[in-house]
Amino acid sequence: MSQFFMMANRGHLIWLWLTLVGVLAGGVAISGESGNNLEVVADSDGKTEIRAYLVPKLQTTLSSHIDAEIQRLSVKEGDTFTEGSPLVIFDCTTLKAQLNKAQTVFNAARDKNQVMQRLATLHSVGTMEADASLSEQKQAEAELKLQESRARGCQISAPFTGRVATLSVRVNQYVTTGQVLMKILDHRHLEMEMIVPSRWLTWLKPKSKFFLHIDETGKKYPAQVTRLGAEADPVSQSVKIVGELIGTHSNLIPGMSGAASFTFPEGVTEPPRITEAVGKPTGPSMTTSSSTP
């Protein structure tokens, strides 16, 4: 039995030795923080490149402000629209009737109050009656403003020029207050997000130039840094930065990704590194590169 354990221990030591030799010879790179949902990619050309993806500068989700039936949808998924154009129109027959009623009540209360205030100056009515008339007018005015606010929800207009990313409703569908209708974004102005080593903050500044190679198009685009993250991650020693493309590129859409390459200032050296990209959650990854004799 003791001979068996000795052989087992020897086998374990041999396996451990072979594993260490394989790591040193093969140059294995393993992601260190799989819990951060960071995609880890090894450099292939000896240069430091940072994975980045495109996001719209403006994007929002439009929701219903009222309970009503959708009468008309002016757009479909993927359609473009201009700022101020109507996107959704509701059937507001009931709301419009309530608005007309509130307007009529306010007009009557206003006229009555004008008469009562005039009589009060002539001492024909008491102060209490005049104050009560003014209070009725204010209540009617408040109700009118409430109905006007609801009526404005009968049409949803585009807050900016862009495209429809997702459409969650259909014509003749009854929706409730707060229900999501669609997601829209500005496809013309894109920016990119990426994670870089926090030590880069010693030289990386807003308006620092770099190039972004987009995987989907296979082309390289000029870009510049616009914002630096306000907080560094102490575990990975990294920080989030945001950049934007220089010029107009109609063939690019949000979600495309690529590699951002930076030119280091004179006197700053950076060894080849494993780079990280924000965005899509991934599990632990491993990249092996062959050694050069």
Side-chain angles (χ1 to χ4, degrees):
M1 180 67 68
S2 60
Q3 184 178 4
F4 171 77
F5 281 110
M6 290 177 63
M7 293 177 64
N9 288 335
R10 268 185 209 160
H12 179 72
L13 290 174
I14 293 173
W15 175 84
L16 180 59
W17 171 255
L18 291 177
T19 301
L20 292 174
V21 171
V23 170
L24 294 175
V28 178
I30 305 176
S31 63
E33 292 292 336
S34 60
N36 289 343
N37 291 333
L38 301 178
E39 181 184 355
V40 181
V41 181
D43 295 331
S44 60
D45 56 0
K47 295 181 180 179
T48 303
E49 292 184 337
I50 303 297
R51 296 295 301 177
Y53 67 99
L54 298 177
V55 295
K57 283 187 176 181
L58 293 176
Q59 59 179 332
T60 188
T61 299
L62 300 179
S63 303
S64 176
H65 297 168
I66 59 175
D67 299 345
E69 181 181 312
I70 296 177
Q71 188 176 69
R72 182 163 65 91
L73 284 172
S74 303
V75 290
K76 300 178 181 179
E77 273 192 16
D79 284 353
T80 59
F81 52 83
T82 57
E83 182 178 355
S85 60
L87 301 178
V88 185
I89 297 178
F90 296 96
D91 180 5
C92 285
T93 304
T94 302
L95 285 180
K96 290 179 180 178
Q98 293 174 346
L99 176 60
N100 291 335
K101 177 182 177 181
Q103 183 69 60
T104 301
V105 172
F106 169 73
N107 292 340
R110 180 194 57 196
D111 295 342
K112 177 182 176 182
N113 180 61
Q114 289 177 350
V115 172
M116 293 298 291
Q117 297 302 323
R118 187 171 182 180
L119 292 175
T121 59
L122 298 175
H123 304 287
S124 298
V125 295
T127 304
M128 182 176 297
E129 287 84 353
D131 291 344
S133 176
L134 179 60
S135 178
E136 290 177 5
Q137 177 182 332
K138 290 182 178 180
Q139 290 180 6
E141 184 179 9
E143 179 65 22
L144 176 60
K145 289 181 178 180
L146 175 62
Q147 296 302 329
E148 288 176 343
S149 175
R150 290 177 177 174
R152 282 194 292 270
C154 293
Q155 175 176 304
I156 296 181
S157 301
F160 51 80
T161 299
R163 293 182 68 181
V164 179
T166 58
L167 185 62
S168 307
V169 293
R170 297 291 182 268
V171 177
N172 299 326
Q173 179 178 342
Y174 188 88
V175 298
T176 57
T177 302
Q179 183 172 340
V180 174
L181 305 177
M182 66 181 70
K183 178 183 177 181
I184 61 175
L185 53 84
D186 183 357
H187 62 291
R188 304 168 305 157
H189 304 100
L190 303 177
E191 59 186 15
M192 65 214 67
E193 298 178 353
M194 65 201 88
I195 291 179
V196 303
S198 53
R199 63 179 174 275
W200 284 17
L201 295 180
T202 58
W203 59 268
L204 193 64
K205 306 295 180 184
K207 296 188 178 180
S208 294
K209 302 295 190 297
F210 63 95
F211 286 96
L212 179 66
H213 184 278
I214 298 295
D215 296 337
E216 286 82 356
T217 63
K219 296 181 179 180
K220 186 179 291 187
Y221 304 86
Q224 64 180 0
V225 176
T226 56
R227 301 191 303 277
L228 303 176
E231 184 179 16
D233 186 340
V235 177
S236 61
Q237 293 184 330
S238 61
V239 64
K240 180 179 178 180
I241 68 171
V242 179
E244 65 178 2
L245 296 172
I246 298 175
T248 302
H249 309 281
S250 59
N251 59 332
L252 300 181
I253 60 175
M256 289 184 173
S257 61
S261 57
F262 292 81
T263 301
F264 294 98
E266 185 177 355
V268 176
T269 59
E270 180 77 5
R273 290 179 51 83
I274 295 172
T275 58
E276 299 171 343
V278 288
K280 306 172 183 176
T282 59
S285 60
M286 179 181 294
T287 304
T288 305
S289 59
S290 58
S291 60
T292 303

